[in-house]
C-alpha cells in the first residue's frame, strides 16, 4: 500500500488539487467548498512533506506518466531542486486557504465562492505541475493552466474594483505572449535535438555547439519565462494584477506564482543548458545580472513613491525577484543556493506582508492607501505586530528569515563576484527600509483620525501568526532551509555534468 | 530546388504571421484586436511546429506494408493539438474578460479605460497626496 | 555556589524581569518604583561576581542557539564586557532611585511606560556588555535603540517626535546600513562571529581593505557619536533627565564606545592596527570631533545641550584611545568608560535636579544660585573636576593612561589635543559652578529638590572620588583586556 502511494506521489501531488477543482464546480455551498479546498490543500501539503522525506533518502524520484517510459513519454521528476518550490507552493496554499475563509466571501461575494475555489485549486495544481514535470512541453501546458486560472482569479477582484478586469486582461495578454515565446523556444530546441525530456535535452544540447537555432531557442525560452517570473523590465503585469486581485489571491500569487517561474528559469539556465557554456555565461553576465540590479533599484524606488499599499508590496516583490535572479546570475553553487534560500524566505515574507495588509483592508472595507492606515497599528496589535516582524524580515534584520537570505547572498557575492555588487545589494536593502518605515510610522505613530475601531478576528490572523512564526523560526534555525538549498544547488549544477 | 525553397517559404509565412500578431498585440489599443493579434501569434507558432514535423517526400505516419517509407514526425502535430486547446482557452478567457470590461467601462478602447481608471486613481490617491494625519499627541 | 555561567543570567535578567512586571503595577506605584533599585542591586551583585571571576582568569560562557555556521546567540564575559556590565548595573541603582525622584518631582505622565522601557534599555545594555558574538551584540544594540525611542519621545510633543525621528533614523539607519554589513563582512572572511580575546582579522583580510572595514564599523556604530553622526545625541536631550543621565551618559553611548573598543581590540586587534596603520584616519577624526564638540559646547547655553556636546567630546577620547592602538591607550580608553560614566551621570543628575527644583535649564539663569542649592553645585563641581581629570577624582587616571598611550604610540599631536581639550573642558564645565557661586544673584528662587534626587547625586559624586582610590580592579581588568 505505502509502496504504491510512494511510487505515485509525484502525480498525486498534482492530481489531488486538479481533481478537486473539477469537483468543486458542482458544489454551491460556500462553506462546504471552503472545507473541501482546505482538506485538499492539507492533503497536498502532507503529500509534499512525504515527497520531501522521500527525496531525502532517494534524492531522485521519477514517474513515467501513463507508463510511457521517458524520454519519449512524459516524465515527472522530483529531486532536491524541485522539492523546494513544491514545499513553498503547498505550504503557502494551505496557509492562504485558511486565510481566505473570511476574506474570500467579502471580496468575491457569497454566490461565486465555489467557482473561485475551483479556480484556486486549479492554479495550485498548475503551479505544482509546473515544477514537477520533467517535460519541456508539458511545462508549457501547466504554465498556461496556472496562469489562466490566476487570470480568472485576479478578474474576480472586479466585484470590488473594476480595474481588476483590466489588470487581469493585461496579465492574460502579456502572460500568453510570454508562454508562446517559451513554446517557440521549445520548438526550436526540439527541431534540433528531437526530444522534449529535460534530462535528455541537456544531454543532447551538450553535443551540439554553436548552432543558431539552439541560441535562438534558448533566447525565446528565457524571455518567455522571464515574463512569467516578472523579471525587470518584463514585470509590468505584476503590480496591477497583485493589487487588484482579491485579498487571498494576492497572498497566494505573490508568494508562489513567480517562485515557480523562477525555479523554471534556474532549471533552464543550469540544468538544460550548462553553466560552462559561453552562451549561458554571457546571458548571466550581460543580461540577467544588469537586469537584476536594475530590478532591485527600480522596484524599491517605485515602492518608495507608491501610495497604494498592495501595489507598494508588489513593487517590492519586483525588487526581491531581482535579488533572486541576481543570485542566479552569479552562477556559483553558493549563489544559486542563496537564490533558493531567498526564494523560500521571500515567499514567507511577502505572504505575511500581503496577509497583514489585506486583512487591514478587510477590516476597513476598502482599498488601502497610505492615508487610510493612519493610527491603525494600535487598533489591531496582533496584525500590526506580525506586519512589523515581516517587515523586519524583508529588510533583512537579524533573527528573521530575511537575514539568512541576505547573509548567504552577500557571502556568495563576495566570494565570487566582487564587492561592488555587495554594495548595490546593501544600498537597495537600505532603501527598502524607507518604504517599510513609512508604513510602520503611519500605522503606529499617527493618530487614528477617523476614529476607526477594529476587533481583530482570530480566523484571519491565525495564518498570519503562523507565517510570522515561520519567518522568525527560519531566522533562528536556518539549517533546514540552508542545507536543502545547498543540496538543490549542487543537484542543479551536477545535473548537466 | 523547389522543395527546399518551399521549406523556407513556410518559415517566411511563420515569421510574417508572428510579426503581424505581435504588432497587433503591442500596437493596437483596442482590447478585441489585441486578442485577434494574440490568436494570430499563436497560430504562427502552430505552423512553425508543423513545419518542423514535415519531412519532404515523407508519408503520413501510418503503419503499412511498405517498410522503406519515410514518415513525417507525428509528435509536433500532437503537441500542437494541445497547444491549440490552450490557445482556445486563452482566447475564450480573453474574450470573456473583454465582454466584462465592456459592460463595466462601456468601452474596449485602452485610452478610454485608462482615462476612467485615472479618474478613480486620482479620487483615491492623488488628491490625498499629502499625508493628512498627524502624529499622536 | 552558583556556577559562573548562571551569574550572567542573574546579571542580565533582573532588568528584563522588571520590564515584564512593571506594566502590571501601574496602580501600585511604590512597589513599581522599588523594582528598579532592587533589580539594580541584584544585577550589580551578579556583575561584581563576574568581575571577580574574570579577574581570576575565567571566561564565563553561555550559548543558546546556533543560527548558521559560525553565528550563534550567546554570552561570553570578556574583561571589557565585565567592566562595562559593572558600570551599567551599578549606575542603574542610582539612576533608578533618581528617576523615581525626578519623575515624581516633575509630575511626569506615563511613568509606568517610562519605567518599563527604562528597564528594557538597561537589559539591552547589559546584554551588549556580555555579548559572546557580534550578531548577539548587534541584536541587543538594536533593541537598545528601539527601547530608548519611547523614552526620548516621552513628552510626545512636536519637538520630541522630531528628535525621535532623528534619533531613530541616525542610530537605526547607520547600524543597518553599515554595522550589519560590516559584521557580515567579518563573517564572510573569518567564518565566525565569536568575540575572541585578540583580533581575528590578522592575515584574513587584505590590509588594503582594512581601513574601509573599519570605516564601516566606525560610522555604523552611531551610538559612539563620532562626527558627522553625532547629531542624535543633542537631539535626544529632549528626553527626561534620568534618560539623559543613564542612557545618554552611560548605557547608550557607552554601549557605542564599548562596541567600538571591542571592534578595535577584539575584531581588528591592536597589534594588527598598529602594524597596518588602518586606524590612522580614525585618530584624526576622533581628535577633530573631540576638539570641535568641545568648542561647540562652550556656545551652548542649555545645560543639557552643553553636557551632550561634552559627552560627544569625551566619547571621542575613548575612540581615540582605541584607535591609537597601543596597550596603554586602550587601557586608558577602557578606564575612561568607567570614570566618565561616574562623572557625567553626576553632572546630568545635577542638571535634572536644578530643573526639578528650580525650573531652570539655561546656564545664564544660574547666576548666584549656588547658595540656594549648595550641595548640588558642589556635586557638579566635583563631577566636573573628574571629567577634567584633576586628582583626586577618578577621571585623572583614565586621562593619565590615555596620555601615556599617546606617547607610547608616537602620535605626539594627540597629547596636544588632550591638553587643549582639557583647557576647553575647564572653560565650559567650570563656568556653571563659577556662575552659581561667584556671580550676583539675579532671580530669587527657593528651590525644592526632592531627597530622592539629592541622595543619588551625592552618591555618584562620592563614587567619582572613590574611583581615584580604588581604580586597581578596573585597571586589572583593562590590562587583562589587552592581554597582560
Amino acid at each position: 500500500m505505502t509502496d504504491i502511494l510512494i511510487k505515485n506521489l509525484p502525480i498525486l501531488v498534482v492530481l489531488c488539487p486538479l481533481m478537486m477543482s473539477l469537483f468543486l464546480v458542482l458544489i454551491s455551498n460556500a462553506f462546504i467548498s471552503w472545507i473541501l479546498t482546505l482538506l485538499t490543500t492539507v492533503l497536498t501539503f502532507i503529500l509534499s512533506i512525504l515527497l520531501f522525506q522521500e527525496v531525502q533518502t532517494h534524492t531522485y524520484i521519477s514517474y513515467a506518466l501513463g507508463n510511457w517510459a521517458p524520454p519519449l513519454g512524459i516524465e515527472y521528476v522530483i529531486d532536491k531542486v524541485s522539492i523546494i518550490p513544491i514545499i513553498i507552493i503547498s505550504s503557502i496554499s494551505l496557509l492562504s486557504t485558511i486565510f481566505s475563509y473570511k476574506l474570500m466571501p467579502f471580496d468575491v461575494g457569497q454566490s461565486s465562492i465555489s467557482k473561485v475555489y475551483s479556480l484556486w485549486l486549479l492554479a495550485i495544481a498548475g503551479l505544482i505541475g509546473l515544477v514537477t514535470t520533467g517535460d519541456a512541453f508539458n511545462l508549457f501546458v501547466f504554465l498556461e493552466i496556472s496562469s489562466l486560472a490566476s487570470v480568472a482569479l485576479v478578474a474576480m477582484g472586479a466585484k470590488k474594483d473594476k480595474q481588476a478586469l483590466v489588470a487581469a486582461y493585461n496579465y492574460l495578454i502579456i502572460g500568453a505572449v510570454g508562454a508562446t515565446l517559451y513554446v517557440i523556444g521549445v520548438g526550436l530546441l526540439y527541431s534540433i535535438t528531437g526530444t522534449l525530456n529535460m534530462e535528455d535535452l541537456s544531454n543532447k544540447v551538450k553535443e551540439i555547439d554553436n548552432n543558431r537555432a539552439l541560441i535562438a531557442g534558448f533566447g525565446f525560452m528565457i524571455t518567455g519565462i522571464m515574463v512569467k517570473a516578472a523579471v525587470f523590465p518584463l514585470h509590468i503585469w505584476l503590480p496591477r494584477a497583485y493589487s487588484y486581485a482579491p485579498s487571498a489571491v494576492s497572498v497566494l500569487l505573490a508568494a508562489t506564482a513567480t517562485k515557480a517561474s523562477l525555479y523554471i528559469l534556474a532549471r533552464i539556465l543550469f540544468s538544460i543548458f550548462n553553466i560552462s557554456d559561453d552562451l549561458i555565461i554571457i546571458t548571466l553576465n550581460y543580461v540577467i545580472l544588469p537586469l537584476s540590479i536594475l530590478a532591485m533599484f527600480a522596484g524599491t524606488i517605485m515602492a518608495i513613491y507608491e501610495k497604494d499599499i498592495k501595489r507598494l508590496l508588489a513593487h517590492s516583490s519586483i525588487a526581491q525577484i531581482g535579488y533572486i535572479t541576481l543570485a542566479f546570475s552569479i552562477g556559483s553553487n553558493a549563489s544559486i543556493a542563496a537564490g533558493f534560500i531567498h526564494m523560500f524566505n521571500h515567499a514567507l515574507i511577502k505572504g505575511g506582508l500581503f496577509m497583514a495588509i489585506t486583512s487591514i483592508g478587510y477590516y476597513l472595507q476598502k482599498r488601502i492607501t497610505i492615508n487610510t492606515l493612519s493610527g491603525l497599528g494600535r487598533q489591531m496589535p496582533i496584525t500590526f505586530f506580525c506586519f512589523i516582524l515581516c517587515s523586519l524580515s524583508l529588510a533583512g534584520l537579524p533573527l528573521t528569515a530575511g537575514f539568512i537570505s541576505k547573509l548567504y547572498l552577500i557571502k556568495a557575492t563576495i566570494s565570487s563576484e566582487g564587492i561592488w555588487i555587495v554594495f548595490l545589494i546593501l544600498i537597495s536593502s537600505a532603501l527598502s527600509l524607507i518604504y517599510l518605515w513609512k508604513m510602520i510610522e503611519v500605522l503606529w505613530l499617527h493618530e487614528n483620525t477617523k476614529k476607526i475601531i477594529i476587533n481583530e478576528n482570530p480566523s484571519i490572523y491565525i495564518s498570519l501568526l503562523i507565517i510570522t512564526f515561520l519567518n522568525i523560526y527560519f531566522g533562528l534555525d536556518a539549517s533546514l532551509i540552508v542545507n536543502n538549498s545547498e543540496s538543490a544547488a549542487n543537484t542543479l549544477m551536477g545535473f548537466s555534468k | 530546388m523547389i522543395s527546399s525553397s518551399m521549406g523556407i517559404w513556410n518559415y517566411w509565412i511563420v515569421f510574417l504571421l508572428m510579426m503581424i500578431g505581435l504588432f497587433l498585440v503591442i500596437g493596437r489599443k483596442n482590447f478585441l484586436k489585441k486578442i485577434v493579434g494574440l490568436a494570430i501569434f499563436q497560430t504562427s507558432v502552430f505552423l512553425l511546429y508543423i513545419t518542423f514535423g514535415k519531412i519532404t517526400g515523407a508519408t503520413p505516419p501510418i503503419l503499412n506494408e511498405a517498410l522503406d517509407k519515410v514518415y513525417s514526425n507525428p509528435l509536433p502535430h500532437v503537441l500542437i493539438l494541445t497547444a491549440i486547446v490552450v490557445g482556445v482557452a486563452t482566447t475564450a478567457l480573453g474574450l470573456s474578460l473583454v465582454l466584462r470590461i465592456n459592460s463595466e467601462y462601456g468601452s474596449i478602447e485602452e485610452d478610454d479605460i485608462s482615462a476612467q481608471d485615472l479618474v478613480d486613481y486620482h479620487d483615491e490617491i492623488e488628491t490625498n497626496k499629502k499625508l493628512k494625519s498627524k502624529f499622536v499627541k | 555556589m552558583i556556577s559562573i555561567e548562571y551569574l550572567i543570567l542573574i546579571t542580565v535578567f533582573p532588568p528584563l524581569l522588571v520590564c515584564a512586571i512593571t506594566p502590571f503595577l501601574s496602580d501600585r506605584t511604590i512597589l513599581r518604583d522599588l523594582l528598579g533599585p532592587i533589580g539594580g542591586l541584584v544585577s550589580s551583585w551578579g556583575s561584581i561576581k563576574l568581575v571577580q571571576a574574570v579577574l581570576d582568569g575565567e571566561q564565563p560562557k553561555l550559548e543558546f542557539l546556533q543560527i548558521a555556521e559560525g553565528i550563534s546567540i550567546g554570552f561570553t564575559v570578556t574583561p571589557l564586557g565585565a567592566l562595562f556590565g559593572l558600570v551599567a548595573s551599578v549606575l542603574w541603582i542610582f539612576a533608578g532611585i533618581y528617576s523615581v525622584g525626578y519623575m515624581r518631582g516633575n509630575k511626569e505622565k506615563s511613568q509606568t511606560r517610562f519605567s518599563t522601557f527604562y528597564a528594557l534599555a538597561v537589559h539591552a545594555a547589559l546584554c551588549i556588555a556580555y555579548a559572546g558574538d557580534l550578531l548577539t551584540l548587534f541584536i541587543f544594540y538594536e533593541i537598545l535603540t528601539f527601547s530608548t525611542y519611547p523614552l526620548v519621545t516621552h513628552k510626545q510633543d512636536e519637538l520630541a517626535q522630531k528628535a525621535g525621528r532623528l534619533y531613530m533614523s541616525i542610530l537605526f539607519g547607520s547600524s543597518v546600513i553599515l554595522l550589519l554589513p560590516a559584521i557580515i563582512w567579518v563573517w564572510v572572511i573569518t567564518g565566525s562571529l565569536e568575540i575572541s580575546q585578540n583580533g581575528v582579522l590578522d592575515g584574513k583580510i587584505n590590509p588594503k581593505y582594512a581601513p574601509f572595514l573599519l570605516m564601516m564599523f566606525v560610522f555604523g556604530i552611531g551610538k559612539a557619536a563620532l562626527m558627522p553622526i553625532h547629531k542624535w545625541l543633542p537631539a535626544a536631550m529632549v528626553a527626561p533627565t534620568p534618560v539623559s543621565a543613564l542612557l545618554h551618559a552611560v548605557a547608550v553611548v557607552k554601549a557605542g564606545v564599548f562596541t567600538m573598543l571591542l571592534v578595535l581590540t577584539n575584531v581588528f586587534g591592536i597589534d594588527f592596527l598598529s602594524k597596518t596603520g588602518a586606524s590612522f584616519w580614525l585618530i584624526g577624526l576622533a581628535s577633530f570631533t573631540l576638539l570641535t564638540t568641545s568648542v561647540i559646547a562652550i556656545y551652548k547655553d542649555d545645560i543639557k545641550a552643553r553636557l551632550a556636546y561634552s559627552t560627544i567630546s569625551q566619547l571621542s577620547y575613548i575612540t581615540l584611545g582605541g584607535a591609537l592602538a597601543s596597550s596603554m591607550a586602550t587601557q586608558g580608553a577602557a578606564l575612561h568608560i568607567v570614570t566618565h560614566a561616574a562623572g557625567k551621570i553626576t553632572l546630568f543628575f545635577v542638571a535634572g535636579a536644578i530643573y526639578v527644583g528650580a525650573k531652570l535649564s539655561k546656564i545664564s539663569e544660574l547666576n548666584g544660585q549656588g547658595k540656594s542649592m549648595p550641595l548640588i553645585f558642589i556635586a557638579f563641581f566635583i563631577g566636573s573636576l573628574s571629567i577634567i581629570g584633576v586628582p583626586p577624582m577618578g577621571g585623572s587616571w583614565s586621562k593619565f593612561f590615555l596620555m601615556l598611550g599617546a606617547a607610547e604610540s608616537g602620535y605626539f599631536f594627540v597629547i596636544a589635543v588632550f591638553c587643549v581639550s582639557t583647557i576647553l573642558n575647564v572653560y565650559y564645565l567650570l563656568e556653571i559652578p563659577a556662575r552659581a557661586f561667584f556671580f550676583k544673584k539675579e532671580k530669587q528662587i527657593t528651590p525644592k529638590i526632592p531627597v530622592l534626587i539629592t541622595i543619588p547625586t551625592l552618591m555618584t559624586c562620592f563614587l567619582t572620588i572613590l574611583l581615584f582610590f580604588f581604580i586597581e580592579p578596573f585597571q586589572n581588568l583593562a590590562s587583562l583586556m589587552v592581554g597582560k
Side-chain angles (χ1 to χ4, degrees), chain A residues 15-180:
Chain A
L15 275 187
C16 162
L18 192 65
M19 288 300 150
M20 188 50 92
S21 91
L22 298 182
F23 180 65
L24 272 183
V25 184
L26 306 174
I27 292 172
S28 55
N29 186 308
F31 182 71
I32 293 176
S33 62
W34 178 75
I35 285 285
L36 285 175
T37 312
L38 184 66
L39 286 177
T40 319
T41 44
V42 168
L43 189 61
T44 317
F45 183 65
I46 292 169
L47 289 175
S48 63
I49 293 292
L50 286 176
L51 268 176
F52 178 72
Q53 283 174 345
E54 199 60 17
V55 162
Q56 297 302 313
T57 49
H58 291 90
T59 70
Y60 185 89
I61 306 166
S62 161
Y63 177 86
L65 191 66
N67 250 338
W68 296 94
L72 279 179
I74 292 172
E75 186 189 15
Y76 280 56
V77 180
I78 312 277
D79 58 8
K80 294 222 160 173
V81 198
S82 59
I83 193 67
I84 292 180
I86 290 177
I87 293 283
I88 296 176
I89 294 163
S90 60
S91 57
I92 296 290
S93 60
L94 173 58
L95 284 174
S96 48
T97 307
I98 301 173
F99 179 69
S100 71
Y101 173 63
K102 279 267 180 210
L103 281 95
M104 203 59 107
F106 160 67
D107 280 326
V108 302
Q110 202 75 28
S111 57
S112 48
I113 289 283
S114 61
K115 273 110 195 154
V116 172
Y117 276 122
S118 166
L119 288 168
W120 175 271
L121 286 179
L122 193 62
I124 294 167
L127 288 171
I128 295 180
L130 190 63
V131 293
T132 38
T133 185
D135 183 279
F137 195 85
N138 194 232
L139 196 152
F140 159 73
V141 175
F142 279 120
L143 200 62
E144 280 306 75
I145 289 178
S146 69
S147 66
L148 289 182
S150 323
V151 166
L153 281 173
V154 170
M156 286 297 175
K159 182 168 173 286
K160 307 230 66 178
D161 191 333
K162 60 183 179 181
Q163 294 196 51
L165 291 172
V166 185
Y169 179 84
N170 283 332
Y171 184 15
L172 174 80
I173 295 286
I174 297 172
V177 170
T180 314

Side-chain angles (χ1 to χ4, degrees), chain A residues 437, chain C residues 162-175 177:
Chain A
W437 175 249
Chain C
K162 235 175 114 184
R165 279 185 85 144
L166 186 72
Y167 183 81
M168 274 304 270
S169 52
I170 293 183
L171 289 186
F172 184 65
S174 65
S175 63
I177 297 169

Side-chain angles (χ1 to χ4, degrees), chain A residues 350-395:
Chain A
K350 255 316 138 47
L353 285 175
F354 265 106
M355 276 184 193
I357 287 299
T358 51
S359 52
I360 295 174
Y362 170 76
Y363 295 129
L364 293 182
Q365 307 275 318
K366 65 175 179 191
R367 257 190 104 61
I368 328 113
T369 61
I370 192 94
N371 272 316
T372 53
L373 289 180
S374 56
L376 293 179
R378 290 156 198 269
Q379 290 295 321
M380 33 169 64
I382 298 172
T383 314
F384 179 59
F385 178 68
C386 295
F387 180 77
I388 285 196
L389 288 182
C390 292
S391 305
L392 293 181
S393 190
L394 185 71

Side-chain angles (χ1 to χ4, degrees), chain C residues 7-323:
Chain C
L7 274 175
I8 302 179
L9 297 182
I10 290 175
T11 314
V12 163
F13 275 100
L16 191 61
L17 215 62
V18 172
C19 165
I21 301 172
T22 305
F24 302 104
L25 296 175
S26 54
D27 299 331
R28 312 174 71 177
T29 46
I30 296 178
L31 192 58
R32 178 195 71 196
D33 294 341
L34 268 177
L35 274 179
I38 292 172
L41 281 173
V42 179
S43 277
S44 309
W45 179 77
S47 64
I48 291 169
K49 286 277 175 201
L50 280 174
V51 167
Q52 282 173 354
V54 171
L55 283 176
D56 291 342
E58 287 176 87
Q59 197 174 45
K61 210 170 179 163
L62 255 185
E63 195 178 303
F64 294 115
L65 79 161
Q66 188 164 16
I67 289 181
E69 210 186 324
I71 301 181
S72 48
I73 302 292
F75 293 127
T76 310
V77 184
T78 56
L80 185 60
L83 193 77
F84 176 45
L86 183 65
V87 171
S89 57
V90 170
L91 291 181
W92 184 35
I93 309 176
F94 302 120
I97 302 171
Y98 179 86
S99 66
V100 174
Y102 181 92
M103 298 304 273
R104 290 188 172 185
N106 218 7
K107 297 192 180 56
E108 295 269 355
K109 49 185 183 170
S110 330
Q111 293 189 17
T112 307
R113 186 186 70 195
F114 178 84
S115 324
T116 309
F117 284 103
Y118 203 79
L120 184 62
V122 175
H123 170 68
L126 286 173
C127 289
I128 289 176
Y130 300 135
D133 180 287
L134 281 179
L135 193 78
T136 316
L137 192 144
F138 178 81
I139 290 162
F140 287 107
Y141 184 97
E142 292 304 343
I143 291 178
L144 186 56
T145 311
F146 278 102
S147 62
T148 46
Y149 177 77
L151 298 177
V152 170
T153 57
H154 185 78
K155 282 183 185 146
Q156 298 202 317
D157 51 10
E158 203 77 24
L159 189 71
Q161 296 285 4
K162 235 175 114 184
R165 279 185 85 144
L166 186 72
Y167 183 81
M168 274 304 270
S169 52
I170 293 183
L171 289 186
F172 184 65
S174 65
S175 63
V176 170
I177 297 169
L178 292 168
L179 181 57
L180 185 60
I183 289 173
I184 295 175
W185 190 350
V186 170
W187 177 69
V188 170
I189 55 180
T190 64
S192 162
L193 283 179
E194 212 181 322
I195 291 169
S196 66
Q197 196 60 24
N198 295 308
V200 290
L201 289 178
D202 200 358
K204 299 256 174 58
I205 187 172
N206 185 342
K208 216 168 55 184
Y209 291 138
F212 293 103
L213 180 57
L214 183 62
M215 208 176 272
M216 284 170 77
F217 270 117
V218 167
F219 293 117
I221 306 170
K223 290 196 168 83
L226 272 175
M227 271 183 167
I229 43 168
H230 64 290
K231 280 278 179 195
W232 63 269
L233 186 54
M237 289 299 148
V238 297
T241 310
V243 177
S244 311
L246 182 67
L247 302 175
H248 301 116
V250 181
V252 174
V253 290
K254 289 291 148 43
V257 283
F258 166 77
T259 314
M260 187 78 86
L261 269 188
L262 198 76
V263 166
L264 289 168
T265 58
N266 292 7
V267 176
F268 282 87
I270 53 175
D271 294 338
F272 177 71
L273 285 179
S274 63
K275 197 169 67 187
T276 56
S279 62
F280 180 70
W281 65 272
L282 185 56
I283 298 175
L285 180 70
S287 307
F288 176 76
T289 309
L290 204 159
L291 291 178
T292 321
T293 48
S294 298
V295 173
I296 295 174
I298 293 173
Y299 291 99
K300 292 290 173 189
D301 190 32
D302 189 280
I303 307 177
K304 280 172 77 180
R306 183 173 289 194
L307 292 181
Y309 276 100
S310 155
T311 306
I312 301 174
S313 156
Q314 298 293 319
L315 294 176
S316 302
Y317 274 76
I318 299 171
T319 310
L320 186 56

Side-chain angles (χ1 to χ4, degrees), chain C residues 346-411:
Chain C
T346 312
L347 300 191
F348 270 111
F349 280 177
V350 171
I354 296 170
Y355 181 70
V356 172
K359 297 284 173 228
L360 296 178
S361 60
K362 296 261 189 295
I363 291 166
S364 49
E365 297 168 343
L366 292 179
N367 291 356
Q369 300 295 348
K371 289 178 193 76
S372 50
M373 337 177 219
L375 277 178
I376 289 294
F377 277 104
I378 289 171
F380 193 94
F381 181 64
I382 293 171
S384 308
L385 288 185
S386 173
I387 287 184
I388 294 162
V390 182
M393 313 296 159
S396 54
W397 283 116
S398 48
K399 271 211 171 151
F400 173 66
F401 275 104
L402 282 169
M403 295 270 205
L404 274 185
E408 187 189 67
S409 62
Y411 294 111

